[in-house]
Structure formats: C-alpha cells, structure tokens
Amino acid sequence: TIGARNITACVGNYHCICGNCNTFELARKIEPIIFPSHYHIKINIAGCPNDCNKAHLCDFGIIGVARMTYHPERCIGCGACMGACPVGAIKDAGGVCEIDEGSCIDCGSCAATCPVGAISEA
C-alpha cells in the first residue's frame, strides 16, 4: 500500500500516571504535516520511557521524558528515590543520593517520590 499510516499515541499524561507529555496534542500537531503523503511510514508517540506502544520500533517514534534537576543540598538521604528508580540509577553516597545520569531513563519516578523536593522536573 502507498501512503502514511495513522499516527498512534498512548494515553500520555491525560490518563497515565507515568505520562510525561500530552501525546494527543502532539499527534494532532504532527498529523497535518504528515498527511497526505505517499511515503509508507509508521509514527508512534509514547508518553514516557515505559514505551507501551513501542515507539522505538517505528519509522518515526517520539518518547516523552522528564528532565530532572538534582538539588543535593536538599537531600536528607531517606532513600525514597532509590527505591522508586526502576533502573537503579540512584545510589547512596554517604547520606545523600547520587544520580548516574548515564543510566537514568528520565522517567520522573524519583521526583514523584522525593519528600523534600531534592529532585524536581526541570
């Protein structure tokens, strides 16, 4: 077949607690740019790094991330962020947390659980 496929978007931050972006709004903005088209491309938009609709497997995929800002002076070393991190990117560094930015998937789970706001969305 010839022509672009429909744009697929997960529910994003409209309904999912993990959603980092409004996937519906983004899909509506992209649609008039893509259609009509003679290119057979598949476009998916995922609202978070969980990537439920497999945007990373498409011709053009968008994955919404949450950029974190760490304020070490606020950290009380409670470990809530370490327990919430799904990839283990946060370690205890002598009473305060240390984030391995190379391992972080920017999901935002740490910021959601930090009781003192030591980690916040940028």
Side-chain angles (χ1 to χ4, degrees), residues 12 14 21 23 28 37 39 43-44 46 49 53 56 59 62-64 71 78 80 82 90 94 98 100 110 115-116 121:
Y14 177 75
C21 67
T23 56
R28 286 186 190 108
S37 173
Y39 299 105
I43 301 169
N44 274 11
N53 66 348
H56 71 283
D59 299 316
I62 298 171
I63 300 173
H71 309 278
C78 67
M82 288 184 271
I90 305 174
E98 184 175 278
D100 177 8
C110 55
V116 294
E121 288 190 41

Side-chain angles (χ1 to χ4, degrees), residues 12-81:
N13 65 3
Y14 177 75
H15 187 69
C16 179
I17 60 171
C18 297
N20 293 320
C21 67
N22 186 335
T23 56
F24 299 145
E25 182 179 313
L26 187 55
R28 286 186 190 108
K29 287 180 180 179
I30 293 173
E31 189 175 38
I33 298 168
I34 300 301
F35 295 106
S37 173
H38 295 291
Y39 299 105
H40 188 70
I41 58 174
K42 187 173 183 181
I43 301 169
N44 274 11
I45 303 171
C48 72
N50 289 333
D51 195 16
C52 296
N53 66 348
K54 307 297 181 229
H56 71 283
L57 295 175
C58 295
D59 299 316
F60 184 78
I62 298 171
I63 300 173
V65 297
R67 294 288 178 201
M68 299 294 107
T69 301
Y70 179 49
H71 309 278
E73 69 279 1
R74 296 182 192 168
C75 183
I76 59 173
C78 67
C81 58

